[in-house]
Amino acid sequence: MKNFALVKKLPVIIMVLLLTACGSTVKEPGGSFEHAINTGPYPWTKSTPSYDDDTLRFAVFSDLTGGEREDVFNVAVAQMNLLRPELIVNVGDLIEGSENRGEIDRQWQSFDERAGKADAPVLYTGGNHDLLDGVLREAWEERNGPRYYHVRYRDVLFLIFDTEDHSLERLEEIAQLRLDAIEVANSSGWDAFAKTEYANLPEDETGMISTAQADYMRNAIANHEDVRWTFLLMHKAPWANDDMASWQSVEDALKDRPYTVFHGHRHNYQLETRQGRDYIRLATTGGVFLPDAGLSMDQVVWVTVDDAGAHIANLKMSGILDKTGKRPLNGESLCLDPKDCPAE
């Protein structure tokens, strides 16, 4: 009878032993990787994850303008929500612009509503479409506050520039030349636009950073010496004008620390190395395609900052799919890469 009782208890004993074995947890150094395999070999490459507790992930989007293509930015916001960034930044040209204040406010209202659907905070950067005359500048300052500013998030510093920081008189002169050039583009195309006086102004390539703005940025840099990385967001490329001492003074202030520059304006992607750092020009996120000028596409940039540095991933909007295997919203109906667009 005793043997019979032991036989009856045997399944329970075996189960207890199995549960005990399965519950034996091995903690790897650091404590974030746990498993129940006591001896090797192991079915993985390494047990130290490639991240740290202070890892920051944020997204960058580019120009919407030059003839914004309907719904592209809406899809971009939905795609960025899928990626779950902590912050979203950009390189300007957020609205098309106008001479009429009522129309400017309508455009900002439209952009604000769409940007407001992002789950993460969106930091605004001004471009020439947003700031290149007195009416646009006034609207920006009344609606958005300062045209240039800085934000520190944890141990990362963001410097947001206004590259249309001209005197009001020069701003109005450039604005009129730009209006004339846009009329040429509308009537004769962008090839004709490229031959206009506006398109060949040094300011169209480099913009302007005033002495006051440069002083502000240098102070922000000096007051945040302990950050692990600095990101500069701007629309135009002030370093393209080697005589712009205000910009050079900002570069000098940054020379001993790691930083990355993001800019836009030309609607085609380019990576440039300057001062041993990455200066990255984004393509578009709903703006007009200009494939003859270079790599043109709708994109967002995914940035990861960890102990190893800043890691940049360019994501084509055409390839960011939701769990159904499709682009969110009406993204399947949109052309997000010029090589995929039907010829007109």
Side-chain angles (χ1 to χ4, degrees):
M1 293 293 293
K2 290 182 179 179
N3 290 338
F4 178 71
L6 181 62
V7 169
K8 288 180 64 178
K9 293 179 180 178
L10 191 59
V12 176
I13 295 170
I14 293 172
M15 183 61 70
V16 170
L17 290 173
L18 287 172
L19 289 174
T20 302
C22 291
S24 178
T25 300
V26 177
K27 291 187 177 182
E28 295 292 336
S32 61
F33 195 94
E34 299 182 10
H35 56 86
I37 303 175
N38 293 303
T39 60
Y42 301 103
W44 50 74
T45 60
K46 61 184 70 174
S47 59
T48 304
S50 59
Y51 68 87
D52 61 80
D53 292 338
D54 293 324
T55 297
L56 167 64
R57 298 173 178 87
F58 67 92
V60 193
F61 67 86
S62 190
D63 301 37
L64 278 66
T65 59
E68 182 180 352
R69 291 158 28 248
E70 188 175 2
D71 287 340
V72 174
F73 183 62
N74 292 334
V75 172
V77 170
Q79 290 175 323
M80 288 186 285
N81 284 343
L82 290 175
L83 297 169
R84 311 305 293 173
E86 295 176 59
L87 291 173
I88 299 173
V89 296
N90 57 84
V91 295
D93 271 9
L94 308 180
I95 66 170
E96 202 68 43
S98 172
E99 295 179 277
N100 179 276
R101 177 57 192 268
E103 173 61 16
I104 293 169
D105 286 335
R106 188 198 67 76
Q107 291 177 13
W108 274 121
Q109 183 66 27
S110 172
F111 179 80
D112 290 343
E113 289 175 356
R114 292 176 288 158
K117 293 180 181 178
D119 293 330
V122 179
L123 309 185
Y124 287 18
T125 301
N128 55 294
H129 281 257
D130 311 312
L131 291 170
L132 190 54
D133 70 26
V135 180
L136 285 163
R137 180 181 284 186
E138 181 181 77
W140 175 285
E141 291 174 342
E142 289 181 5
R143 297 182 65 97
N144 303 326
R147 292 175 283 116
Y148 54 85
Y149 59 101
H150 74 278
V151 170
R152 176 175 177 149
Y153 179 65
R154 293 194 278 165
D155 58 355
V156 174
L157 179 63
F158 296 87
L159 303 177
I160 294 86
F161 288 77
D162 167 21
T163 52
E164 303 302 324
D165 199 13
H166 306 277
S167 69
L168 191 57
E169 181 181 19
R170 182 57 178 158
L171 194 72
E172 297 293 353
E173 292 173 353
I174 297 171
Q176 185 57 56
L177 291 173
R178 178 175 170 272
L179 288 174
D180 296 341
I182 289 174
E183 287 186 11
V184 171
N186 291 336
S187 61
S188 304
W190 288 99
D191 288 341
F193 174 90
K195 299 176 182 178
T196 63
E197 183 178 354
Y198 171 76
N200 290 281
L201 287 174
E203 292 95 334
D204 182 51
E205 179 68 29
T206 67
M208 173 56 68
I209 292 175
S210 68
T211 300
Q213 182 174 179
D215 290 345
Y216 172 91
M217 294 301 177
R218 289 199 308 274
N219 286 335
I221 292 165
N223 290 334
H224 297 277
E225 293 182 343
D226 59 331
V227 295
R228 75 160 100 178
W229 210 273
T230 301
F231 292 95
L232 290 72
L233 287 305
M234 65 195 68
H235 190 61
K236 293 180 180 176
W239 56 91
N241 181 348
D242 292 335
D243 296 325
M244 194 175 292
S246 55
W247 169 254
Q248 290 179 353
S249 72
V250 174
E251 286 184 321
D252 288 344
L254 287 164
K255 65 183 179 181
D256 294 327
R257 69 169 67 183
Y259 69 89
T260 302
V261 176
F262 291 107
H263 61 112
H265 188 51
R266 290 304 182 193
H267 293 219
N268 57 80
Y269 184 85
Q270 180 186 76
L271 169 63
E272 176 183 358
T273 301
R274 178 178 168 87
Q275 315 285 0
R277 314 303 201 278
D278 289 336
Y279 285 49
I280 298 173
R281 185 175 69 204
L282 275 60
T284 67
T285 310
V288 63
F289 285 138
L290 298 174
D292 292 341
L295 177 57
S296 190
M297 58 186 168
D298 283 320
Q299 70 166 127
V300 297
V301 175
W302 186 252
V303 184
T304 303
V305 186
D306 60 19
D307 281 344
H311 313 278
I312 311 296
N314 285 291
L315 308 180
K316 286 188 174 183
M317 285 181 58
S318 58
I320 303 176
L321 312 180
D322 63 19
K323 65 183 180 181
T324 71
K326 296 181 179 180
R327 301 168 192 160
L329 302 182
N330 64 334
E332 290 295 303
S333 66
L334 302 178
C335 181
L336 305 177
D337 194 313
K339 68 180 179 59
D340 300 325
C341 297
E344 296 183 358

